[in-house]
Amino acid sequence: MSEYMNFFARLARESTDRKREFLELGRIAGRFPAASTVENGEISVWCSNDYLGMGQHPRVLEAMHRAIDEYGGGSGGSRNIGGTHHYHVLLERELARLHGKSDALLFTSGYSANEGSLSVLAGLSGNCAVFSDQENHASIIDGLRHSGAKKHIFRHNDCAHLEELLAAADPGQPKLIVTESVHSMVGDIAPLAEIADLAKRYGAATFLDEVHAVGMYGPGGAGIAAQEGLASSFTVIMGTLAKGYGMTGGYVAGPAELIDAVRAHARSFVFTTALPPSVAAGALAAVRHLRDSDDERRRLAENARLLHTLLDERSIPYLSDHSHIVSVLVGDDERCRAMSRLLLQRHGIYVQAVNAPSVRVGEEILRVAPSAVHLPEEIRKFAAALGTIWTELDGPRPARARVSG
Ligand code: PMP
């Protein structure tokens, strides 16, 4: 075998902890929390990011079918060269309006929206100082890395530390603060009013990732900044269409001159095929539905509250009660995987064990995502099943106080 092949053979033998096996799901149309797998029959899903069930919503599916009939399958090209369809343009306008910004730009994923736009917004001026939360998502880290900008990392949601770093920077230098509103793994919510205030005092622009908030929080689903009346204090709001909106794709919304620069320079926008028009049409239907309906948001909040209560009754620790992301702290890779396995085998419940690199070694979690479409009796069954397995397998875990709101 060549040296090259030897390396990967050795890696496969030695790094069994990084070996990934994925559960194959077949969705049952119209009934999202129930899905099927080849081996386990019908199961109940507790780790989907389709938090509001919009991926199965009749209005969304109807819009997609109609767009396929109108425009066919793929988009046929990059946005620059033959791939811009009517629905892309309508969706960008709708998203700009949702966030109260003058323009918005679609990407094929939230990952590429962060990576592409931050590489431009932090990189183009050549002398930008970036202030980035320590726990920011990989797509933010990669975008900032590709920007080449000087990074100052502040401790997670620690505004005193952020201020220290801002105060130490050259007052004449362009500055950008980058953070997430609802954190993807902890589920806590950033202190946006304080961040906005610091940005103002130190003359910094702000980039807010609202991936786990758009559709779910704020008036019309406009996110946490809007909920707190702060949307205009954040220069750029970034979101995904893949979670609350149940589709796929990502976007940035902001002042036209910034979005123009991203449109012209972001490599992950320029050099790739645009989203299929049917996906843009489905996302547009989802954005419009959630702009007008509070039902899904209300049910999501009620379901998250019920789950918090049931976990508290069983003394099962989770990282934050700020949001619908309920990360049960297991703190051990093996135990976490075993809990996930037993939930599936014994109870037909699917919740993925989350380990490194998504969380630190020793801070492994079961990232439980109650959705708007789980029924209260399903939530009770879930908590009872987790309670039994927790009692059986509980062990040492890192001391970590819950972030409470
Ligand atoms: N930002 C955050 C905070 C995320 O958690 C994720 C994905 N989970 C992304 C960006 C990327 O979004 P997408 O899945 O649409 O690529």
Side-chain angles (χ1 to χ4, degrees):
M1 226 192 299
S2 68
E3 262 319 293
Y4 184 86
M5 293 305 291
N6 276 338
F7 169 79
F8 285 98
R10 207 165 46 242
L11 188 69
R13 265 195 319 275
E14 289 169 5
S15 56
T16 47
D17 57 325
R18 287 298 288 269
K19 186 161 163 49
R20 293 293 186 253
E21 276 160 19
F22 304 120
L23 196 66
E24 277 181 42
L25 297 175
R27 289 280 190 90
I28 297 170
R31 177 79 182 92
F32 141 66
S36 60
T37 66
V38 180
E39 288 181 4
N40 299 81
E42 188 169 309
I43 59 166
S44 163
V45 179
W46 284 87
C47 52
S48 172
N49 283 332
D50 187 357
Y51 300 124
L52 299 173
M54 295 308 288
Q56 303 278 330
H57 196 283
R59 283 174 86 167
V60 171
L61 300 185
E62 192 194 311
M64 294 186 80
H65 285 300
R66 212 174 331 111
I68 290 175
D69 291 341
E70 262 177 89
Y71 288 116
S75 64
S78 66
R79 290 290 299 278
N80 296 356
I81 309 179
T84 294
H85 290 254
H86 184 50
Y87 285 119
H88 296 129
V89 178
L90 286 181
L91 180 55
E92 285 174 340
R93 276 193 210 135
E94 190 72 43
L95 291 167
R97 202 162 34 234
L98 179 72
H99 294 295
K101 304 294 179 194
S102 52
D103 205 355
L105 190 69
L106 278 176
F107 287 74
T108 49
S109 71
Y111 179 92
S112 57
N114 269 340
E115 192 281 323
S117 60
L118 283 170
S119 64
V120 172
L121 296 173
L124 212 56
S125 71
N127 63 341
C128 184
V130 175
F131 301 82
S132 178
D133 188 288
Q134 180 184 22
E135 304 272 337
N136 273 343
H137 189 258
S139 53
I140 295 176
I141 295 171
D142 291 355
L144 293 178
R145 199 174 280 159
H146 295 161
S147 76
K150 171 110 182 79
K151 268 194 295 184
H152 306 267
I153 308 295
F154 59 96
R155 288 187 292 274
H156 181 53
N157 287 345
D158 184 340
C159 283
H161 192 208
L162 172 59
E163 176 154 28
E164 224 176 87
L165 297 174
L166 284 164
D170 173 357
Q173 201 177 6
K175 297 180 189 65
L176 179 66
I177 301 172
V178 187
T179 197
E180 295 172 29
S181 60
V182 176
H183 189 267
S184 64
M185 289 295 153
V186 185
D188 56 350
I189 294 181
L192 295 190
E194 283 176 71
I195 291 172
D197 177 58
L198 285 174
K200 197 166 166 200
R201 283 202 279 124
Y202 288 90
T206 39
F207 182 105
L208 184 63
D209 175 322
E210 294 244 46
V211 157
H212 296 277
V214 289
M216 274 102 44
Y217 297 90
I224 301 286
Q227 179 170 285
E228 297 183 11
L230 293 167
S232 63
S233 305
F234 286 84
T235 320
V236 174
I237 292 185
M238 177 271 164
T240 186
L241 304 168
K243 303 187 196 290
Y245 296 126
M247 283 292 113
T248 195
Y251 65 90
V252 285
E257 58 273 38
L258 268 66
I259 301 300
D260 278 344
V262 175
R263 191 183 287 110
H265 295 278
R267 295 167 71 82
S268 66
F269 174 80
V270 174
F271 294 107
T272 195
T273 300
L275 287 171
S278 56
V279 170
L284 181 64
V287 173
R288 285 183 173 161
H289 177 81
L290 292 171
R291 182 193 62 192
D292 299 334
S293 163
D294 287 323
D295 288 356
E296 292 79 6
R297 278 186 285 282
R298 186 181 37 75
R299 272 188 274 128
L300 182 69
E302 284 169 7
N303 285 351
R305 259 197 308 276
L306 175 59
L307 184 60
H308 292 150
T309 307
L310 294 170
L311 294 184
D312 287 343
E313 283 171 13
R314 291 166 175 79
S315 304
I316 296 176
Y318 53 96
L319 299 181
S320 162
D321 64 8
H322 278 181
S323 74
H324 62 285
I325 297 174
V326 185
S327 291
V328 171
L329 180 61
V330 182
D332 178 86
D333 187 27
E334 259 316 299
R335 211 155 10 98
C336 201
R337 288 179 198 235
M339 285 186 184
S340 168
R341 202 168 43 244
L342 290 180
L343 279 168
L344 187 64
Q345 285 168 356
R346 292 189 191 160
H347 302 277
I349 285 170
Y350 173 40
V351 50
Q352 186 66 42
V354 178
N355 48 17
S358 300
V359 292
R360 289 190 202 92
V361 172
E363 295 194 357
E364 290 78 6
I365 53 175
L366 291 172
R367 183 181 178 279
V368 183
S371 78
V373 284
H374 283 107
L375 302 171
E377 57 266 31
E378 288 174 310
I379 301 174
R380 289 198 184 87
K381 261 196 218 161
F382 170 81
L386 180 62
T388 313
I389 286 168
W390 187 265
T391 310
E392 195 177 319
L393 295 186
D394 191 18
R397 70 187 98 82
R400 196 167 161 160
R402 179 188 307 164
V403 185
S404 231

